[in-house]
Amino acid sequence: MISHNVITVLIALLISISSAAQADDQLNQVDYPLISVPKGHYTLYIPDNNFFKLGYLEKKVSFDSIIHIGKFEVSNRLWNLCFKLNGCNRPVMMREGETLDSPVVRVNWHDAYGFSKWYSSYTNKSYRLPTEEEWVYAAYLGKDHRNIEIQYDYSDLNKIREISKKTMPLGSFKENALGFSDYQGNVWEWTLTCWYASEEKKLKEYSSAELNTPQACTTRIVQGENRSHIPDFIMDTYSGGCATLEPAANLGFRLVLEEN
């Protein structure tokens, strides 16, 4: 006959296993909401710096199909799911005050690229990073986006170093009419687009397939509060790269779903 104590232990064990299974199920059910950006065309204004003034190159861009792009950046929660299922090589690194519902940051371009490959396999769909053209079109709906450049005073480096890099929960910043959220938040987002010095290459048309490989280039465009170009191995612009000391130092990303 099984003693009362043994039965109690067995019941507790079954409850523990059930709770763990439920927790796993909840962890595995991490949504990544998308918005749909209608087809259309617009002019992408590409900053063209010289010694005298900031100018812009005008690149005509057309989209013949709907763009399905992430409403938010990829979250810490979704990244940790990738880590749990052995798709990412480390868990998230969060600062005090950040949560699992904050965007994942401190990731370089290769991390973001690798995540897109894992998420594609996990969902049996085709995900990738957006091109700069897609990101800007989704954020500004084809309108002139040249006037959002924000200038900072770099005269006091100590004050710059004191700027908080803590990320805010998804949905904390501006959302446009289509529901594209946090595009002017405190996270810079990796894109597929390569940085080039020459005008010819800046204006050249590149397919997403050409850009969606680590071999395409070693410096990528990031978008957000400001536009910049950063070496693909940098995880935090306070520690190096072309944009060192820019306040928006957190590097994250969002994804595009390609239609089959």
Side-chain angles (χ1 to χ4, degrees), residues 46-50 53-57 197-199 202 227:
I46 303 173
D48 185 35
N49 295 301
N50 57 48
K53 65 177 182 178
L54 172 63
Y56 291 89
L57 300 175
S198 73
E199 178 177 333
K202 286 179 179 177
R227 176 191 193 268

Side-chain angles (χ1 to χ4, degrees), residues 165-183:
K165 293 190 286 181
K166 181 183 76 172
T167 60
M168 302 296 290
L170 300 175
S172 295
F173 295 93
K174 186 175 181 179
E175 179 177 302
N176 69 16
L178 292 177
F180 191 77
S181 187
D182 299 338
Y183 60 98

Side-chain angles (χ1 to χ4, degrees), residues 108-111 190 214 217-220 230-235:
N108 63 34
W109 187 89
H110 296 277
D111 294 329
W190 289 108
C217 58
T218 57
T219 301
R220 304 280 176 160
I230 297 178
D232 60 14
F233 62 89
I234 296 296
M235 298 172 61

Side-chain angles (χ1 to χ4, degrees), residues 56 146-154 184-185 188 224-227 246-247:
Y56 291 89
R146 288 174 295 181
N147 297 325
I148 59 90
E149 294 289 337
I150 299 174
Q151 301 297 322
Y152 293 95
D153 179 8
Y154 297 131
Q184 289 187 0
W188 269 343
E225 184 184 62
N226 275 314
R227 176 191 193 268
E246 287 279 1

Side-chain angles (χ1 to χ4, degrees), residues 155-203:
S155 60
D156 190 338
L157 294 183
N158 288 326
K159 286 186 177 180
I160 294 173
R161 294 189 179 99
E162 291 172 0
I163 294 172
S164 174
K165 293 190 286 181
K166 181 183 76 172
T167 60
M168 302 296 290
L170 300 175
S172 295
F173 295 93
K174 186 175 181 179
E175 179 177 302
N176 69 16
L178 292 177
F180 191 77
S181 187
D182 299 338
Y183 60 98
Q184 289 187 0
N186 64 345
V187 174
W188 269 343
E189 300 179 26
W190 289 108
T191 75
L192 289 181
T193 300
C194 295
W195 175 83
Y196 295 110
S198 73
E199 178 177 333
E200 178 185 1
K201 288 188 175 181
K202 286 179 179 177
L203 295 176

